[in-house]
Amino acid sequence: MNDILEGLLLDDCAVVTRAELCGSGRVTPEELDALTALGVLPAFADGYPAACLALVRRAARLKRGLDTDWELVAVIMDLLHEIDALRSEVRRLKAHQR
């Protein structure tokens, strides 16, 4: 096996450039613009928070896996975000009951 594991160590304050985000997220600059226009990513002039890398990768996987357009990916990403928020709230409420 010649699998190569590639990774970046990023902290909460790390900033990635547009080129790094496109390269690591495996999207084109035009696709990155579409994700920003649809509200999946916040708009930044000189760099993106490292957390955007996970969003771009997830969006790209959804687009490839479902073979769909960016508009549907944006809706799915919004729903997944809402599910995560609801799960966090349920965990918080359960912890508060104990």
Side-chain angles (χ1 to χ4, degrees), residues 42-57:
F44 292 100
D46 12 338
Y48 294 82
C52 288
L53 185 54
L55 291 172
V56 170
R57 285 181 174 174

Side-chain angles (χ1 to χ4, degrees), residues 15-31:
V15 175
V16 294
T17 66
R18 180 178 171 84
E20 290 170 330
L21 193 57
C22 288
S24 294
R26 296 182 181 94
V27 295
T28 66
E30 294 78 23
E31 291 172 320

